[in-house]
Amino acid sequence: MKVILFGASGMVGQGVLRESLLAPDVTEVLSIVRTPTGRQDPKLTELVHRDFADFSGVKEQLTGYDACFFCLGVSSVGMKEPEYTRVTYDFTLAAARTLAEVNPDSTFVYVSGMGTDSTEQGRSMWARVKGKTENDVMALPLRGYAFRPGYIQALHGVTPKVPWMKAIYAVVSKAYPLLHRVLPKATTTTENLGLAMLDVARTSPAKKIHYSTDFNAR
């Protein structure tokens, strides 16, 4: 497989990148970034692109890929709905619509979140926006999927990007074994999440929305 990755500098993206580079059947990973990360691997190519709302200028460079793992996202804390929508919905759909055009038989996995509102009518702003994003991705002429993880335990040197999240993970990660036993349906790891994305790209299951129990059931 040849895969495209968005959000490689974030915690989820780091984990997905690791598993993609380790997978024997993945021959190429194209990481779309705003600024170079400096990460090097024989399978990895970074494409620096500043405007995540418009990918028309790089369509040719996105052609010929089998899957896209869209791990780009932000916390809604302190954000107004238009600002959150731009990053969460506009950026995702700009990428997905472009890939539906140039790679119509490809798989697109959107990392959403547990509690997302598929009805788009609930009181929670972030849940509505993510719900609309999921719905519109899965309506496109490609194989669209939504991943809804809860708490994600970072493994293999993967670290959260945001400082306040690093502080939280420094505390919570020590209790992860207990947390997972108590809340097995709401917890997973970066490794399981990355491996589950690769499995979905390989097998194209009928189920469109996947949760932590699916990631952990490999």
Side-chain angles (χ1 to χ4, degrees), residues 100-112:
E101 178 184 347
V102 300
N103 303 313
D105 295 323
S106 65
T107 297
F108 190 98
V109 180
Y110 168 60
V111 179
S112 184

Side-chain angles (χ1 to χ4, degrees), residues 61-181:
Q61 292 162 270
L62 306 180
T63 302
Y65 286 84
D66 304 293
C68 176
F69 303 140
F70 200 92
C71 307
L72 179 69
V74 294
S75 168
S76 63
V77 176
M79 296 185 75
K80 299 294 185 181
E81 186 164 349
E83 181 185 10
Y84 184 72
T85 298
R86 174 172 171 75
V87 177
T88 301
Y89 180 86
D90 294 351
F91 290 178
T92 306
L93 268 294
R97 286 168 179 152
T98 301
L99 292 172
E101 178 184 347
V102 300
N103 303 313
D105 295 323
S106 65
T107 297
F108 190 98
V109 180
Y110 168 60
V111 179
S112 184
M114 189 173 69
T116 292
D117 177 14
S118 296
T119 72
E120 307 177 29
Q121 301 299 316
R123 296 179 63 183
S124 174
M125 180 271 285
W126 75 264
R128 291 196 312 271
V129 173
K130 281 187 176 289
K132 180 173 175 56
T133 305
E134 287 184 356
N135 292 338
D136 288 2
V137 164
M138 291 188 286
L140 291 171
L142 41 62
R143 293 190 290 272
Y145 295 90
F147 273 30
R148 294 183 178 181
Y151 175 82
I152 306 168
Q153 175 68 12
L155 299 178
H156 310 299
V158 171
T159 58
K161 183 179 179 181
V162 182
W164 65 264
M165 288 186 65
K166 287 183 180 180
I168 292 175
Y169 270 80
V171 176
V172 178
S173 63
K174 296 177 183 178
Y176 179 73
L178 175 60
L179 184 65
H180 183 60
R181 284 198 297 271

